[in-house]
Amino acid sequence: MNTVIHKTPCRTLEAEPQTVKARQDKRDWTQYSRTIAVLMSKRMSELGLTQKMLAEKMNCTQQYISKMLKGEKNMSLETICKIENTLGIEIIKGTDENKQ
């Protein structure tokens, strides 16, 4: 009787450096995303805006706004700029200080 045994290599207990870096990067942008969500939510309350109203002003969907407010969206600089302009808040600080 011929039995073929397929052996798969064992994964080491140490995570690969790239995997650890990717997880840290995701944690970093998620933290920023949540901070932006808090700023957005606070300003929306001050202005009496609903998600739908903000979506219309930003020319996007209410679902997209919902994801941003949950801190689940990795936003582009373009999107952050739209948020700043629409809500009249400053999210990215320090860029004006470098202008001379």
Side-chain angles (χ1 to χ4, degrees):
M1 177 170 142
N2 287 339
T3 304
V4 177
I5 298 175
H6 296 283
K7 294 183 180 181
T8 57
C10 293
R11 296 190 68 108
T12 61
L13 294 177
E14 295 179 25
E16 296 176 26
Q18 294 167 337
T19 305
V20 171
K21 173 85 171 107
R23 272 189 253 147
Q24 182 61 47
D25 287 347
K26 182 172 181 173
R27 255 192 310 265
D28 289 346
W29 75 253
T30 302
Q31 183 178 352
Y32 284 120
S33 185
R34 289 184 182 143
T35 301
I36 292 168
V38 169
L39 292 170
M40 288 176 66
S41 182
K42 181 180 175 189
R43 186 63 174 154
M44 287 171 65
S45 291
E46 290 170 357
L47 298 173
L49 291 175
T50 64
Q51 290 181 17
K52 185 176 181 179
M53 292 164 72
L54 181 59
E56 288 171 2
K57 288 178 177 282
M58 289 183 57
N59 196 28
C60 63
T61 64
Q62 181 273 325
Q63 290 82 3
Y64 188 77
I65 298 295
S66 176
K67 286 181 182 180
M68 285 193 285
L69 291 171
K70 290 178 185 175
E72 298 174 354
K73 196 73 188 147
N74 189 358
M75 295 170 253
S76 68
L77 288 173
E78 180 181 9
T79 299
I80 293 170
C81 188
K82 280 184 180 181
I83 294 166
E84 288 181 325
N85 292 335
T86 304
L87 294 177
I89 58 176
E90 188 178 86
I91 295 170
I92 300 175
K93 298 178 182 180
T95 54
D96 289 335
E97 295 171 5
N98 294 327
K99 291 181 183 178
Q100 301 209 6

